[in-house]
Amino acid sequence: MDNLESLVITRRLRVPLDAGPGGASGGASDGASDGGRPGRGEVAARQLDAALLTAGFACSPALLERLSGLSVEHVIDLGLRILAAVRELAGDHVRHNAYFIDFPRNVPGTAEFWTSLMWRSLLGPDASDQAVTPRTLNLLTLPDYGSYPHAYADLLAAHAELIPLAGDRVTVLDLGGDLRSEARELYLSLAGSRVPLPAEDLAALRELAVYCAEHLPEPAAGEAPEHIPVRENRAVVNAARLAAGLPLLVDTVTDVLRLACGASGGDVTLATATRFRSFRRAERRALLKALDAVATDAALGDVPRLREPWKRLGERLHPHEYPHLPRAAHVFDVARGERPARGLGGRVETALAAGRTDEAVELLERSPGALLRRLDHLLRTGTDPERVLAAAAQAARAASGRVLLSLREHLHNRLAPAAGRVFVNRHGRAWTSADTRPPLSAGVLAQAAGLLDEEITRRLPDLGTLVVEPAMLDVALPLSGKAAAPGLGMLPRGSTAPVEGELLRFFVHWRQTARRTDYDLSALMLDDAYGDPEYISWTNYTNDFATYSGDLTTAAQGASEFIDVVLARATRPVVIPQVNVYDGEPFDQAAEAFFGFMTRDLVQQGLPFEPRTVRMKSDLRGAGSVALPLVFLRGGDGRWRAKWLHLYLKGSPAFNQVEGNRLSTALLVRSIVEREYLTVRHLAALLARRGGTGDHTTYLGLQAPADAPEGARVYTPATLHELIPA
């Protein structure tokens, strides 16, 4: 229950509390030690609010009022859980030490630092045992290098307290309903998401689906959104329904395969192989019955591309024991090569390779989403663009809203050749290639964009009176969320946000699982043309405007590194933080790894890590060896902004350094920066063009407003996926 409560707090910034006189979710009755008199928890509630403020959070008036009516013991117990959740959200659940105790003051020059280490190694009382020659000296193994030379208590004593300023972050925690209703609401939101979820949200959905199936009364236990468009989400929900004996939500053969993977604790995305468990007879019967219902001749064409997992699943389901389900058996016949089946994709590729575009269009008309995904190719290779556009207009009426928005963004970026085409997979691994595609005429692009906008506008909900916070306008629509781990202040790839404050400080923290692990926080700084590089890293501690906190090479108890940038003195308008795996465990194998940034004014002083100045924090868990979370850019008006990247470079197996990936990093970042992403601004313009008819208010902002009118709908970046039309 505590984990569900934490999910609601961190994903929704709402604290679940029962509606009764005594209660928080799962809490005890009021009045255990205060005679039951209401309001005795007021002092404890205000103490909790003060403690939250040190981490950059605060209770809403409604939450503070409800907490004040609980018993002291109840407020303390609940407060400990709230504090634990929000501190982890901001990265304040660990101690952030720095290698140089006075950082950012008194950081030595790089040459000075290495000289002092070598001097102590050769002549000091702790002289190195290395047989030192100019050819054999290993600087990274010198005494005192790579581990903290002081305790965290020493760091605390060396720094003055943070001076609070009005610009410090305060994230408001609102009053929620009881845990059951909050868990149900979060479950329906994640299950019904029209964009793929990151791994963390998929795991949360799995836990919520099991909870709802086991703890909510019928019919709420079997409740699911009217439509679950993302197949991975559907598989997770189906796995919980299978275990609870509820009807399955299946409409393709691959849905059944994903369900079997999820029920076996495997990968519902089908990216990695799953070892199927032995299914109970009732489960085998349910899976085969669902498979038989959807295994039409046309559907069998999807089986060959996943031949091996289908064969392994057949060994567990024993379809020969169910002769009354013949179409389910046909799936495994195709997987074993005993029954022919050819998919739509193969026939389309054959037609396109032979130059028969009209035939390809006719085939794709049976699959609207596939036709729209290939629209650019069809327009480039076809001889009759009007025929292709007519088919696209028809397909747009049946394709998903996410496909429409993705294509709309793509067409907007075809107006001019790109600096480089960016390709990003589900794990955030990215690469670029030259844009060699022939251009499309402006008239064709305008016609295609117009028909898409018309269909998108038709599907958007009636939001009544729309109020949009200006900072929300530049938030990109979340058309894919797989590469972005949830966290504090997280925005979709391509989103931009202003960077306020005089000092920018980004940080990384990691803790190794089993073997020595060395991550390196670095910064690549470029001019307006993405050239003339300058570096801050363990090889160059300082320049005129940036400072590095020092290199740590082991993290058994956790390690933190920081880089400061004094924005007014920056001589480079492009600052790209990156985290390199120099040695040891990759991001997805470390016990913990996260990145974030803070902003503060120079007069504030404080510790290297101050949670109330944290603007963004998120886990690192991509498959690459070089993480590029975001880029900081100075505009022509002199103001700085952040643009979210969520990218990972493959890098080398070890010894990655910022100097070694400069060219690939610069091209990738430039391609993202110069790309026009579809943002909330575009949706707001479509809604304004159509106008609202309802008498309700809809608010779009980075946080829920404290003074929203009763009945208002509120969308924040955490729930923006709910606005993507079906």
Side-chain angles (χ1 to χ4, degrees), residues 467-475 680 699-705 715:
V467 180
V468 185
E469 179 186 338
M472 192 72 170
L473 291 171
D474 293 321
V475 174
V680 170
Y699 182 89
L700 274 68
L702 298 181
Q703 288 192 53
Y715 294 93

Side-chain angles (χ1 to χ4, degrees), residues 109-110 506 520-527 530-549 562-565 571-572 574-578 580 626 628 649 656-666:
T110 313
F506 37 93
D520 291 324
L521 182 65
S522 308
L524 171 62
M525 304 168 178
L526 304 169
D527 62 17
Y530 292 81
D532 192 17
E534 192 166 346
Y535 309 98
I536 291 292
S537 70
W538 67 273
T539 63
N540 185 43
Y541 290 166
T542 62
N543 63 15
D544 293 337
F545 60 91
T547 307
Y548 177 52
S549 67
F562 307 85
I563 289 179
D564 267 13
V565 179
T571 59
R572 298 289 192 281
V574 180
V575 177
I576 309 171
Q578 59 180 254
N580 293 276
V626 180
L628 303 174
L649 304 181
N656 293 284
Q657 294 180 238
V658 61
E659 296 88 347
N661 55 52
R662 196 251 317 167
L663 293 177
S664 56
T665 297

Side-chain angles (χ1 to χ4, degrees), residues 404-607:
L404 299 180
L405 290 166
S406 297
L407 178 58
R408 182 65 180 84
E409 180 179 285
H410 169 83
L411 294 177
H412 185 75
N413 286 277
R414 287 286 274 132
L415 292 170
R421 295 184 66 186
V422 180
F423 301 90
V424 185
N425 67 14
R426 69 178 68 228
H427 303 295
R429 286 273 294 276
W431 62 97
T432 60
S433 69
D435 189 359
T436 59
R437 298 167 298 180
L440 296 172
S441 73
V444 167
L445 287 172
Q447 191 174 346
L451 68 89
L452 291 172
D453 279 344
E454 181 180 354
E455 180 60 26
I456 292 167
T457 303
R458 186 185 68 81
R459 297 192 195 184
L460 287 172
D462 183 2
L463 299 182
T465 301
L466 183 64
V467 180
V468 185
E469 179 186 338
M472 192 72 170
L473 291 171
D474 293 321
V475 174
L477 299 179
L479 302 181
S480 178
K482 287 192 175 182
L488 177 68
M490 289 293 289
L491 297 177
R493 179 183 296 122
S495 300
T496 59
V499 176
E500 307 290 349
E502 300 169 336
L503 179 71
L504 167 66
R505 176 174 296 169
F506 37 93
F507 60 91
V508 66
H509 178 87
W510 76 99
R511 179 166 52 87
Q512 63 205 42
T513 300
R515 55 192 172 112
R516 188 181 70 84
T517 297
D518 178 5
Y519 293 171
D520 291 324
L521 182 65
S522 308
L524 171 62
M525 304 168 178
L526 304 169
D527 62 17
D528 287 318
Y530 292 81
D532 192 17
E534 192 166 346
Y535 309 98
I536 291 292
S537 70
W538 67 273
T539 63
N540 185 43
Y541 290 166
T542 62
N543 63 15
D544 293 337
F545 60 91
T547 307
Y548 177 52
S549 67
D551 185 26
L552 295 160
T553 62
T554 185
Q557 304 301 319
S560 299
E561 294 182 5
F562 307 85
I563 289 179
D564 267 13
V565 179
V566 182
L567 295 175
R569 298 207 303 259
T571 59
R572 298 289 192 281
V574 180
V575 177
I576 309 171
Q578 59 180 254
V579 183
N580 293 276
V581 178
Y582 189 81
D583 192 22
E585 299 163 348
F587 300 125
D588 52 4
Q589 293 181 16
E592 187 171 33
F594 58 85
F595 170 91
F597 76 89
M598 299 171 269
T599 59
R600 62 179 78 173
D601 287 349
L602 295 173
V603 299
Q604 288 189 269
Q605 301 184 59
L607 292 167

